């Protein structure tokens, strides 16, 4: 049984300072006056003045690569990276080897996450067998497994066949699940390397048109409306996609959407370096797209922030652009990027960050009985402490991930998670807090 923990004078959601008492994995007391709490004799006391307390972050879009590509990431290294980034739960994508398209594979991933114990790992099941887009996977068996899968995605590829997509949307209704779509028209993006526009033309790289994303977003919103089901759209990247989501919500369609930190900060201008660290799917877009995404996050059109943490082995990135894999790291830098582009600009508050990165993703993933809970007495002690005044320079070699493919190397970011607690157990402590637990 872990020792009681007193977090003194933390700023809850960036608002009123308060003190939390954590006992046996539960927040038992929240008080504005620290002196009113009877501190147990064996308690660990954290002086948290100046720190922001948030519910533990929940990532709806993480690639952990295990089983099959442990040279890029493992559930253990990915969990450690997540804990250092302030996350207490991650949803692991299905594009592993073997693919997570059976109850056996998702139970393996779930059990391994529980064994490691740094974050809760919730497997996302594949929509189709082998991600091939031809036959539905064993969705019912995965939903009824001990992993209790509720999200299904072929992420990395699009569920392209509209008949298959319709059947998947119909099927998940039986257990109130959701189909999570990687919106990409495969024909329109064949051979594409970056966003189609002025920069791609100047660089001579095959362009990836915005309509390739937008057409699938529109199709799937209409399919979800037609069958009365739930669809979640991953990594929106274009202003047009934002308008389609806004239209769909106004129409009453049960659709949610996410944006990634990198699509909220970086643009296709980064490709001028020909550095494959900036090669990602969907591609980095224009500044006007970035501005539209930020506005959509601020007004609630985009529901959540998700990392799309995509680690790759060095040989898959340390090569010429055309041969390089798509994807970039995100778990350890997400909070800093979001503070930089949303909080420090006044577009969002820390309470908004709690909604975007904890409460709403937990609800979409149907784990809101355990995660994304209020910082209140009687709730699970999944807590992240953030130092909003810290600044740090990203060093790929110092990241916990096994991979090194961060696009932020050498960039100074504000804010950092200094402590992460999963059910009252510290899974990450900054050096300034380690002494309290010695």
């Amino acid at each position: 049984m872990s020792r009681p923990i007193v977090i003194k004078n933390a700023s809850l959601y960036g608002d009123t300072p308060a003190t939390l008492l954590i006992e046996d994995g539960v927040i038992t007391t929240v008080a504005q006056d620290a002196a009113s709490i009877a501190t147990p004799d064996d308690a660990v006391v954290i002086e948290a003045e100046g720190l922001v307390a948030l519910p533990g972050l929940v990532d709806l879009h993480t690639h952990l690569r295990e089983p099959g590509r442990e040279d890029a990431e493992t559930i253990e290294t990915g969990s450690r990276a997540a804990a250092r980034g302030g996350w207490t739960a991650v949803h692991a994508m299905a594009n592993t080897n073997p693919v997570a398209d059976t109850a056996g594979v998702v139970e393996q991933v779930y059990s391994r996450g529980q064994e490691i114990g740094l974050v809760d790992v919730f497997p996302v099941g594949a929509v189709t067998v082998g991600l091939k887009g031809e036959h539905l996977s064993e969705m019912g068996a995965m939903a009824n497994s001990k992993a209790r899968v509720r999200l299904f995605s072929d992420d990395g590829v699009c569920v392209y066949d509209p008949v298959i997509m319709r059947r998947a949307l119909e099927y998940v209704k039986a257990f109130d699940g959701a189909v999570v779509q990687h919106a990409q028209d495969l024909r329109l993006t064949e051979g594409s390397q970056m966003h189609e526009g002025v920069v791609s033309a100047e660089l001579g790289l095959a362009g990836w048109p915005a309509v390739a994303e937008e057409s699938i977003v529109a199709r799937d919103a209409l399919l979800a409306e037609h069958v009365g089901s739930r669809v979640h759209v991953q990594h929106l990247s274009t202003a047009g996609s934002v308008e389609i989501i806004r239209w769909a919500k106004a129409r009453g369609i049960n659709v949610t959407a996410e944006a990634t930190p990198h699509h909220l900060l970086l643009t296709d201008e980064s490709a001028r370096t020909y550095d494959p660290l900036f090669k990602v799917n969907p591609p980095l877009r224009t500044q006007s797209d970035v501005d539209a995404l930020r506005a959509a996050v601020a007004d609630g059109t985009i529901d959540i922030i998700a990392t799309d943490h995509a680690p790759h082995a060095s040989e898959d990135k340390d090569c010429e652009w055309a041969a390089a894999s798509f994807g970039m790291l995100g778990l350890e830098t997400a909070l800093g990027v979001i503070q930089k582009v949303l909080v420090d600009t006044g577009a969002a508050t820390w309470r908004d960050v709690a909604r975007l990165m904890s409460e709403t993703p937990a609800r979409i993933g149907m784990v809101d009985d355990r995660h994304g809970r209020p910082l209140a007495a009687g709730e699970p002690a999944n807590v992240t402490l953030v130092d909003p005044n810290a600044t740090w320079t990203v060093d790929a070699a110092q990241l916990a991930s096994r991979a090194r493919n961060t696009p932020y190397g050498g960039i100074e970011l504000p804010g950092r998670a200094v402590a992460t607690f999963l059910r009252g157990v510290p899974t990450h402590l900054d050096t300034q807090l380690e002494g309290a637990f010695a």
Side-chain angles (χ1 to χ4, degrees), residues 7 46 51-54 56 83-88 335 383-387 416-422 425-430 432-434 437:
I7 302 175
I46 297 176
L51 302 182
V52 173
L54 300 174
R84 284 178 57 170
W87 309 91
T88 55
L335 201 54
V383 181
T384 298
L385 295 181
V386 181
D387 184 352
R416 196 165 193 176
V418 295
T420 308
F421 300 92
L422 177 63
V425 176
T427 57
H428 162 63
L429 292 171
D430 196 72
Q432 68 191 70
L433 297 181
E434 286 179 343
F437 288 83

PDB file of all heavy atoms in Angstrom, residues 7 46 51-54 56 83-88 335 383-387 416-422 425-430 432-434 437:
ATOM      1  N   ILE A   7      -0.455  17.115  -1.629  1.00  0.00           N
ATOM      2  CA  ILE A   7      -0.008  18.077  -2.642  1.00  0.00           C
ATOM      3  C   ILE A   7      -0.496  19.445  -2.191  1.00  0.00           C
ATOM      4  O   ILE A   7      -1.684  19.751  -2.253  1.00  0.00           O
ATOM      5  CB  ILE A   7      -0.564  17.721  -4.036  1.00  0.00           C
ATOM      6  CG1 ILE A   7      -0.121  16.307  -4.441  1.00  0.00           C
ATOM      7  CG2 ILE A   7      -0.117  18.749  -5.074  1.00  0.00           C
ATOM      8  CD1 ILE A   7      -0.733  15.824  -5.745  1.00  0.00           C
ATOM      9  N   ILE A  46       4.281  17.336  -0.845  1.00  0.00           N
ATOM     10  CA  ILE A  46       4.819  18.024  -2.021  1.00  0.00           C
ATOM     11  C   ILE A  46       4.424  19.488  -1.944  1.00  0.00           C
ATOM     12  O   ILE A  46       3.229  19.817  -1.924  1.00  0.00           O
ATOM     13  CB  ILE A  46       4.287  17.397  -3.324  1.00  0.00           C
ATOM     14  CG1 ILE A  46       4.750  15.948  -3.461  1.00  0.00           C
ATOM     15  CG2 ILE A  46       4.731  18.215  -4.537  1.00  0.00           C
ATOM     16  CD1 ILE A  46       4.177  15.232  -4.670  1.00  0.00           C
ATOM     17  N   LEU A  51       2.616  25.380  -9.165  1.00  0.00           N
ATOM     18  CA  LEU A  51       2.350  24.282 -10.096  1.00  0.00           C
ATOM     19  C   LEU A  51       0.860  24.200 -10.408  1.00  0.00           C
ATOM     20  O   LEU A  51       0.014  24.538  -9.581  1.00  0.00           O
ATOM     21  CB  LEU A  51       2.819  22.949  -9.511  1.00  0.00           C
ATOM     22  CG  LEU A  51       4.298  22.843  -9.122  1.00  0.00           C
ATOM     23  CD1 LEU A  51       4.595  21.433  -8.608  1.00  0.00           C
ATOM     24  CD2 LEU A  51       5.201  23.202 -10.292  1.00  0.00           C
ATOM     25  N   VAL A  52       0.540  23.746 -11.601  1.00  0.00           N
ATOM     26  CA  VAL A  52      -0.849  23.546 -12.025  1.00  0.00           C
ATOM     27  C   VAL A  52      -1.187  22.067 -11.891  1.00  0.00           C
ATOM     28  O   VAL A  52      -0.446  21.205 -12.381  1.00  0.00           O
ATOM     29  CB  VAL A  52      -1.059  23.994 -13.487  1.00  0.00           C
ATOM     30  CG1 VAL A  52      -2.456  23.630 -13.969  1.00  0.00           C
ATOM     31  CG2 VAL A  52      -0.818  25.495 -13.619  1.00  0.00           C
ATOM     32  N   ALA A  53      -2.283  21.769 -11.222  1.00  0.00           N
ATOM     33  CA  ALA A  53      -2.751  20.389 -11.088  1.00  0.00           C
ATOM     34  C   ALA A  53      -3.855  20.127 -12.100  1.00  0.00           C
ATOM     35  O   ALA A  53      -4.835  20.878 -12.175  1.00  0.00           O
ATOM     36  CB  ALA A  53      -3.260  20.122  -9.680  1.00  0.00           C
ATOM     37  N   LEU A  54      -3.675  19.071 -12.871  1.00  0.00           N
ATOM     38  CA  LEU A  54      -4.660  18.657 -13.868  1.00  0.00           C
ATOM     39  C   LEU A  54      -5.019  17.193 -13.650  1.00  0.00           C
ATOM     40  O   LEU A  54      -4.216  16.428 -13.088  1.00  0.00           O
ATOM     41  CB  LEU A  54      -4.079  18.801 -15.283  1.00  0.00           C
ATOM     42  CG  LEU A  54      -3.638  20.185 -15.752  1.00  0.00           C
ATOM     43  CD1 LEU A  54      -2.954  20.079 -17.113  1.00  0.00           C
ATOM     44  CD2 LEU A  54      -4.828  21.143 -15.828  1.00  0.00           C
ATOM     45  N   GLY A  56      -4.992  13.450 -14.760  1.00  0.00           N
ATOM     46  CA  GLY A  56      -4.026  12.771 -15.608  1.00  0.00           C
ATOM     47  C   GLY A  56      -4.446  12.798 -17.064  1.00  0.00           C
ATOM     48  O   GLY A  56      -5.617  12.564 -17.398  1.00  0.00           O
ATOM     49  N   ALA A  83       4.296   8.682 -19.252  1.00  0.00           N
ATOM     50  CA  ALA A  83       4.286   9.157 -17.867  1.00  0.00           C
ATOM     51  C   ALA A  83       5.080  10.447 -17.740  1.00  0.00           C
ATOM     52  O   ALA A  83       4.667  11.388 -17.050  1.00  0.00           O
ATOM     53  CB  ALA A  83       4.841   8.078 -16.945  1.00  0.00           C
ATOM     54  N   ARG A  84       6.221  10.529 -18.418  1.00  0.00           N
ATOM     55  CA  ARG A  84       7.027  11.746 -18.361  1.00  0.00           C
ATOM     56  C   ARG A  84       6.317  12.926 -19.007  1.00  0.00           C
ATOM     57  O   ARG A  84       6.569  14.086 -18.670  1.00  0.00           O
ATOM     58  CB  ARG A  84       8.380  11.512 -19.029  1.00  0.00           C
ATOM     59  CG  ARG A  84       9.319  10.710 -18.148  1.00  0.00           C
ATOM     60  CD  ARG A  84      10.641  10.412 -18.797  1.00  0.00           C
ATOM     61  NE  ARG A  84      11.364  11.608 -19.241  1.00  0.00           N
ATOM     62  CZ  ARG A  84      12.625  11.583 -19.668  1.00  0.00           C
ATOM     63  NH1 ARG A  84      13.298  10.439 -19.702  1.00  0.00           N
ATOM     64  NH2 ARG A  84      13.217  12.692 -20.061  1.00  0.00           N
ATOM     65  N   GLY A  85       5.421  12.640 -19.935  1.00  0.00           N
ATOM     66  CA  GLY A  85       4.661  13.703 -20.581  1.00  0.00           C
ATOM     67  C   GLY A  85       3.407  14.104 -19.849  1.00  0.00           C
ATOM     68  O   GLY A  85       2.691  15.004 -20.296  1.00  0.00           O
ATOM     69  N   GLY A  86       3.109  13.434 -18.721  1.00  0.00           N
ATOM     70  CA  GLY A  86       1.927  13.775 -17.943  1.00  0.00           C
ATOM     71  C   GLY A  86       0.713  12.915 -18.211  1.00  0.00           C
ATOM     72  O   GLY A  86      -0.369  13.180 -17.686  1.00  0.00           O
ATOM     73  N   TRP A  87       0.874  11.857 -19.006  1.00  0.00           N
ATOM     74  CA  TRP A  87      -0.251  10.994 -19.369  1.00  0.00           C
ATOM     75  C   TRP A  87      -0.429   9.869 -18.349  1.00  0.00           C
ATOM     76  O   TRP A  87       0.549   9.290 -17.871  1.00  0.00           O
ATOM     77  CB  TRP A  87      -0.037  10.382 -20.755  1.00  0.00           C
ATOM     78  CG  TRP A  87       0.305  11.391 -21.806  1.00  0.00           C
ATOM     79  CD1 TRP A  87       1.553  11.809 -22.174  1.00  0.00           C
ATOM     80  CD2 TRP A  87      -0.619  12.130 -22.622  1.00  0.00           C
ATOM     81  NE1 TRP A  87       1.462  12.759 -23.172  1.00  0.00           N
ATOM     82  CE2 TRP A  87       0.146  12.987 -23.464  1.00  0.00           C
ATOM     83  CE3 TRP A  87      -2.010  12.153 -22.727  1.00  0.00           C
ATOM     84  CZ2 TRP A  87      -0.437  13.843 -24.382  1.00  0.00           C
ATOM     85  CZ3 TRP A  87      -2.593  13.013 -23.640  1.00  0.00           C
ATOM     86  CH2 TRP A  87      -1.810  13.840 -24.457  1.00  0.00           C
ATOM     87  N   THR A  88      -1.677   9.557 -18.036  1.00  0.00           N
ATOM     88  CA  THR A  88      -1.964   8.401 -17.186  1.00  0.00           C
ATOM     89  C   THR A  88      -2.670   7.293 -17.957  1.00  0.00           C
ATOM     90  O   THR A  88      -2.834   6.191 -17.441  1.00  0.00           O
ATOM     91  CB  THR A  88      -2.823   8.804 -15.975  1.00  0.00           C
ATOM     92  OG1 THR A  88      -4.019   9.458 -16.417  1.00  0.00           O
ATOM     93  CG2 THR A  88      -2.044   9.718 -15.043  1.00  0.00           C
ATOM     94  N   LEU A 335       2.482  18.479 -24.153  1.00  0.00           N
ATOM     95  CA  LEU A 335       2.035  19.480 -23.190  1.00  0.00           C
ATOM     96  C   LEU A 335       2.730  20.817 -23.426  1.00  0.00           C
ATOM     97  O   LEU A 335       2.100  21.878 -23.372  1.00  0.00           O
ATOM     98  CB  LEU A 335       2.311  18.970 -21.777  1.00  0.00           C
ATOM     99  CG  LEU A 335       1.520  19.584 -20.627  1.00  0.00           C
ATOM    100  CD1 LEU A 335       0.017  19.508 -20.882  1.00  0.00           C
ATOM    101  CD2 LEU A 335       1.881  18.882 -19.324  1.00  0.00           C
ATOM    102  N   VAL A 383      -3.382  12.162 -11.416  1.00  0.00           N
ATOM    103  CA  VAL A 383      -3.101  13.595 -11.318  1.00  0.00           C
ATOM    104  C   VAL A 383      -1.788  13.912 -12.030  1.00  0.00           C
ATOM    105  O   VAL A 383      -0.817  13.154 -11.932  1.00  0.00           O
ATOM    106  CB  VAL A 383      -2.997  14.036  -9.844  1.00  0.00           C
ATOM    107  CG1 VAL A 383      -2.734  15.541  -9.744  1.00  0.00           C
ATOM    108  CG2 VAL A 383      -4.252  13.655  -9.062  1.00  0.00           C
ATOM    109  N   THR A 384      -1.780  15.038 -12.715  1.00  0.00           N
ATOM    110  CA  THR A 384      -0.561  15.548 -13.341  1.00  0.00           C
ATOM    111  C   THR A 384      -0.263  16.930 -12.791  1.00  0.00           C
ATOM    112  O   THR A 384      -1.152  17.788 -12.742  1.00  0.00           O
ATOM    113  CB  THR A 384      -0.727  15.627 -14.875  1.00  0.00           C
ATOM    114  OG1 THR A 384      -0.953  14.320 -15.393  1.00  0.00           O
ATOM    115  CG2 THR A 384       0.516  16.216 -15.527  1.00  0.00           C
ATOM    116  N   LEU A 385       0.982  17.130 -12.366  1.00  0.00           N
ATOM    117  CA  LEU A 385       1.425  18.447 -11.919  1.00  0.00           C
ATOM    118  C   LEU A 385       2.304  19.051 -13.003  1.00  0.00           C
ATOM    119  O   LEU A 385       3.270  18.427 -13.454  1.00  0.00           O
ATOM    120  CB  LEU A 385       2.210  18.338 -10.609  1.00  0.00           C
ATOM    121  CG  LEU A 385       1.441  17.857  -9.376  1.00  0.00           C
ATOM    122  CD1 LEU A 385       2.373  17.822  -8.163  1.00  0.00           C
ATOM    123  CD2 LEU A 385       0.241  18.748  -9.097  1.00  0.00           C
ATOM    124  N   VAL A 386       1.967  20.274 -13.396  1.00  0.00           N
ATOM    125  CA  VAL A 386       2.669  20.962 -14.473  1.00  0.00           C
ATOM    126  C   VAL A 386       3.324  22.214 -13.920  1.00  0.00           C
ATOM    127  O   VAL A 386       2.695  22.967 -13.158  1.00  0.00           O
ATOM    128  CB  VAL A 386       1.690  21.355 -15.606  1.00  0.00           C
ATOM    129  CG1 VAL A 386       2.437  22.045 -16.745  1.00  0.00           C
ATOM    130  CG2 VAL A 386       0.934  20.137 -16.109  1.00  0.00           C
ATOM    131  N   ASP A 387       4.575  22.419 -14.299  1.00  0.00           N
ATOM    132  CA  ASP A 387       5.239  23.689 -13.978  1.00  0.00           C
ATOM    133  C   ASP A 387       5.118  24.592 -15.202  1.00  0.00           C
ATOM    134  O   ASP A 387       5.858  24.437 -16.181  1.00  0.00           O
ATOM    135  CB  ASP A 387       6.704  23.450 -13.636  1.00  0.00           C
ATOM    136  CG  ASP A 387       7.410  24.739 -13.208  1.00  0.00           C
ATOM    137  OD1 ASP A 387       6.803  25.817 -13.334  1.00  0.00           O
ATOM    138  OD2 ASP A 387       8.569  24.660 -12.748  1.00  0.00           O
ATOM    139  N   ARG A 416       6.208  21.973 -18.323  1.00  0.00           N
ATOM    140  CA  ARG A 416       6.610  20.579 -18.317  1.00  0.00           C
ATOM    141  C   ARG A 416       5.903  19.858 -17.180  1.00  0.00           C
ATOM    142  O   ARG A 416       5.694  20.429 -16.103  1.00  0.00           O
ATOM    143  CB  ARG A 416       8.122  20.463 -18.138  1.00  0.00           C
ATOM    144  CG  ARG A 416       8.669  19.096 -18.501  1.00  0.00           C
ATOM    145  CD  ARG A 416      10.170  19.137 -18.661  1.00  0.00           C
ATOM    146  NE  ARG A 416      10.639  17.914 -19.314  1.00  0.00           N
ATOM    147  CZ  ARG A 416      11.903  17.707 -19.657  1.00  0.00           C
ATOM    148  NH1 ARG A 416      12.817  18.629 -19.438  1.00  0.00           N
ATOM    149  NH2 ARG A 416      12.261  16.578 -20.232  1.00  0.00           N
ATOM    150  N   ALA A 417       5.528  18.615 -17.421  1.00  0.00           N
ATOM    151  CA  ALA A 417       4.983  17.794 -16.339  1.00  0.00           C
ATOM    152  C   ALA A 417       6.111  17.466 -15.374  1.00  0.00           C
ATOM    153  O   ALA A 417       7.135  16.906 -15.776  1.00  0.00           O
ATOM    154  CB  ALA A 417       4.378  16.517 -16.903  1.00  0.00           C
ATOM    155  N   VAL A 418       5.946  17.830 -14.112  1.00  0.00           N
ATOM    156  CA  VAL A 418       6.979  17.551 -13.109  1.00  0.00           C
ATOM    157  C   VAL A 418       6.604  16.358 -12.236  1.00  0.00           C
ATOM    158  O   VAL A 418       7.464  15.822 -11.528  1.00  0.00           O
ATOM    159  CB  VAL A 418       7.265  18.785 -12.236  1.00  0.00           C
ATOM    160  CG1 VAL A 418       7.870  19.907 -13.083  1.00  0.00           C
ATOM    161  CG2 VAL A 418       6.010  19.265 -11.521  1.00  0.00           C
ATOM    162  N   ALA A 419       5.349  15.941 -12.282  1.00  0.00           N
ATOM    163  CA  ALA A 419       4.927  14.752 -11.540  1.00  0.00           C
ATOM    164  C   ALA A 419       3.676  14.180 -12.173  1.00  0.00           C
ATOM    165  O   ALA A 419       2.788  14.923 -12.604  1.00  0.00           O
ATOM    166  CB  ALA A 419       4.669  15.080 -10.073  1.00  0.00           C
ATOM    167  N   THR A 420       3.624  12.862 -12.237  1.00  0.00           N
ATOM    168  CA  THR A 420       2.449  12.156 -12.745  1.00  0.00           C
ATOM    169  C   THR A 420       2.105  11.054 -11.754  1.00  0.00           C
ATOM    170  O   THR A 420       2.988  10.292 -11.336  1.00  0.00           O
ATOM    171  CB  THR A 420       2.710  11.538 -14.128  1.00  0.00           C
ATOM    172  OG1 THR A 420       3.226  12.545 -15.010  1.00  0.00           O
ATOM    173  CG2 THR A 420       1.434  10.969 -14.725  1.00  0.00           C
ATOM    174  N   PHE A 421       0.831  10.977 -11.385  1.00  0.00           N
ATOM    175  CA  PHE A 421       0.381   9.975 -10.427  1.00  0.00           C
ATOM    176  C   PHE A 421      -0.717   9.126 -11.057  1.00  0.00           C
ATOM    177  O   PHE A 421      -1.711   9.654 -11.564  1.00  0.00           O
ATOM    178  CB  PHE A 421      -0.170  10.634  -9.154  1.00  0.00           C
ATOM    179  CG  PHE A 421       0.835  11.493  -8.434  1.00  0.00           C
ATOM    180  CD1 PHE A 421       0.925  12.851  -8.704  1.00  0.00           C
ATOM    181  CD2 PHE A 421       1.689  10.939  -7.502  1.00  0.00           C
ATOM    182  CE1 PHE A 421       1.849  13.648  -8.052  1.00  0.00           C
ATOM    183  CE2 PHE A 421       2.623  11.727  -6.838  1.00  0.00           C
ATOM    184  CZ  PHE A 421       2.705  13.082  -7.117  1.00  0.00           C
ATOM    185  N   LEU A 422      -0.534   7.822 -11.020  1.00  0.00           N
ATOM    186  CA  LEU A 422      -1.543   6.874 -11.495  1.00  0.00           C
ATOM    187  C   LEU A 422      -2.104   6.150 -10.280  1.00  0.00           C
ATOM    188  O   LEU A 422      -1.397   5.385  -9.618  1.00  0.00           O
ATOM    189  CB  LEU A 422      -0.924   5.875 -12.476  1.00  0.00           C
ATOM    190  CG  LEU A 422      -1.856   4.785 -13.008  1.00  0.00           C
ATOM    191  CD1 LEU A 422      -2.999   5.376 -13.825  1.00  0.00           C
ATOM    192  CD2 LEU A 422      -1.075   3.764 -13.836  1.00  0.00           C
ATOM    193  N   VAL A 425       0.042   6.504  -7.270  1.00  0.00           N
ATOM    194  CA  VAL A 425       1.420   6.031  -7.344  1.00  0.00           C
ATOM    195  C   VAL A 425       2.199   6.942  -8.291  1.00  0.00           C
ATOM    196  O   VAL A 425       1.773   7.152  -9.429  1.00  0.00           O
ATOM    197  CB  VAL A 425       1.490   4.578  -7.847  1.00  0.00           C
ATOM    198  CG1 VAL A 425       2.939   4.125  -8.017  1.00  0.00           C
ATOM    199  CG2 VAL A 425       0.750   3.659  -6.894  1.00  0.00           C
ATOM    200  N   PRO A 426       3.330   7.494  -7.846  1.00  0.00           N
ATOM    201  CA  PRO A 426       4.103   8.359  -8.746  1.00  0.00           C
ATOM    202  C   PRO A 426       4.747   7.540  -9.865  1.00  0.00           C
ATOM    203  O   PRO A 426       5.530   6.627  -9.606  1.00  0.00           O
ATOM    204  CB  PRO A 426       5.157   8.977  -7.828  1.00  0.00           C
ATOM    205  CG  PRO A 426       5.288   8.030  -6.675  1.00  0.00           C
ATOM    206  CD  PRO A 426       3.929   7.408  -6.508  1.00  0.00           C
ATOM    207  N   THR A 427       4.406   7.865 -11.095  1.00  0.00           N
ATOM    208  CA  THR A 427       4.992   7.179 -12.254  1.00  0.00           C
ATOM    209  C   THR A 427       6.046   8.038 -12.928  1.00  0.00           C
ATOM    210  O   THR A 427       6.804   7.546 -13.766  1.00  0.00           O
ATOM    211  CB  THR A 427       3.899   6.822 -13.272  1.00  0.00           C
ATOM    212  OG1 THR A 427       3.208   8.026 -13.658  1.00  0.00           O
ATOM    213  CG2 THR A 427       2.906   5.827 -12.676  1.00  0.00           C
ATOM    214  N   HIS A 428       6.074   9.302 -12.578  1.00  0.00           N
ATOM    215  CA  HIS A 428       7.108  10.225 -13.052  1.00  0.00           C
ATOM    216  C   HIS A 428       7.286  11.314 -12.020  1.00  0.00           C
ATOM    217  O   HIS A 428       6.307  11.887 -11.523  1.00  0.00           O
ATOM    218  CB  HIS A 428       6.725  10.853 -14.390  1.00  0.00           C
ATOM    219  CG  HIS A 428       7.500  12.096 -14.710  1.00  0.00           C
ATOM    220  ND1 HIS A 428       8.868  12.098 -14.894  1.00  0.00           N
ATOM    221  CD2 HIS A 428       7.109  13.408 -14.834  1.00  0.00           C
ATOM    222  CE1 HIS A 428       9.282  13.338 -15.134  1.00  0.00           C
ATOM    223  NE2 HIS A 428       8.238  14.140 -15.097  1.00  0.00           N
ATOM    224  N   LEU A 429       8.537  11.577 -11.676  1.00  0.00           N
ATOM    225  CA  LEU A 429       8.861  12.679 -10.774  1.00  0.00           C
ATOM    226  C   LEU A 429      10.051  13.435 -11.338  1.00  0.00           C
ATOM    227  O   LEU A 429      11.077  12.830 -11.668  1.00  0.00           O
ATOM    228  CB  LEU A 429       9.208  12.159  -9.379  1.00  0.00           C
ATOM    229  CG  LEU A 429       8.081  11.522  -8.558  1.00  0.00           C
ATOM    230  CD1 LEU A 429       8.658  10.871  -7.314  1.00  0.00           C
ATOM    231  CD2 LEU A 429       7.038  12.562  -8.180  1.00  0.00           C
ATOM    232  N   ASP A 430       9.913  14.731 -11.456  1.00  0.00           N
ATOM    233  CA  ASP A 430      11.045  15.557 -11.845  1.00  0.00           C
ATOM    234  C   ASP A 430      12.078  15.531 -10.721  1.00  0.00           C
ATOM    235  O   ASP A 430      11.759  15.233  -9.569  1.00  0.00           O
ATOM    236  CB  ASP A 430      10.561  16.988 -12.097  1.00  0.00           C
ATOM    237  CG  ASP A 430      11.571  17.809 -12.860  1.00  0.00           C
ATOM    238  OD1 ASP A 430      11.741  17.573 -14.062  1.00  0.00           O
ATOM    239  OD2 ASP A 430      12.176  18.687 -12.246  1.00  0.00           O
ATOM    240  N   GLN A 432      13.366  17.728  -9.030  1.00  0.00           N
ATOM    241  CA  GLN A 432      13.081  18.617  -7.910  1.00  0.00           C
ATOM    242  C   GLN A 432      12.112  18.005  -6.918  1.00  0.00           C
ATOM    243  O   GLN A 432      11.992  18.466  -5.765  1.00  0.00           O
ATOM    244  CB  GLN A 432      12.532  19.953  -8.410  1.00  0.00           C
ATOM    245  CG  GLN A 432      11.137  19.858  -9.040  1.00  0.00           C
ATOM    246  CD  GLN A 432      10.717  21.115  -9.756  1.00  0.00           C
ATOM    247  OE1 GLN A 432      11.261  21.443 -10.816  1.00  0.00           O
ATOM    248  NE2 GLN A 432       9.772  21.830  -9.206  1.00  0.00           N
ATOM    249  N   LEU A 433      11.393  16.945  -7.321  1.00  0.00           N
ATOM    250  CA  LEU A 433      10.404  16.315  -6.426  1.00  0.00           C
ATOM    251  C   LEU A 433      10.829  14.934  -5.950  1.00  0.00           C
ATOM    252  O   LEU A 433      10.205  14.373  -5.062  1.00  0.00           O
ATOM    253  CB  LEU A 433       9.053  16.206  -7.144  1.00  0.00           C
ATOM    254  CG  LEU A 433       8.378  17.522  -7.556  1.00  0.00           C
ATOM    255  CD1 LEU A 433       7.048  17.247  -8.235  1.00  0.00           C
ATOM    256  CD2 LEU A 433       8.184  18.434  -6.354  1.00  0.00           C
ATOM    257  N   GLU A 434      11.850  14.373  -6.551  1.00  0.00           N
ATOM    258  CA  GLU A 434      12.252  13.022  -6.192  1.00  0.00           C
ATOM    259  C   GLU A 434      12.603  12.910  -4.702  1.00  0.00           C
ATOM    260  O   GLU A 434      12.338  11.893  -4.062  1.00  0.00           O
ATOM    261  CB  GLU A 434      13.442  12.575  -7.046  1.00  0.00           C
ATOM    262  CG  GLU A 434      13.065  12.243  -8.479  1.00  0.00           C
ATOM    263  CD  GLU A 434      14.290  11.835  -9.309  1.00  0.00           C
ATOM    264  OE1 GLU A 434      15.419  12.126  -8.861  1.00  0.00           O
ATOM    265  OE2 GLU A 434      14.087  11.258 -10.375  1.00  0.00           O
ATOM    266  N   PHE A 437      10.115  11.723  -1.993  1.00  0.00           N
ATOM    267  CA  PHE A 437       9.741  10.314  -1.896  1.00  0.00           C
ATOM    268  C   PHE A 437      10.924   9.429  -1.464  1.00  0.00           C
ATOM    269  O   PHE A 437      10.815   8.218  -1.475  1.00  0.00           O
ATOM    270  CB  PHE A 437       9.197   9.828  -3.232  1.00  0.00           C
ATOM    271  CG  PHE A 437       7.832  10.377  -3.542  1.00  0.00           C
ATOM    272  CD1 PHE A 437       7.692  11.629  -4.101  1.00  0.00           C
ATOM    273  CD2 PHE A 437       6.690   9.650  -3.256  1.00  0.00           C
ATOM    274  CE1 PHE A 437       6.439  12.153  -4.384  1.00  0.00           C
ATOM    275  CE2 PHE A 437       5.436  10.159  -3.528  1.00  0.00           C
ATOM    276  CZ  PHE A 437       5.301  11.422  -4.098  1.00  0.00           C
TER     277      PHE A 437
END
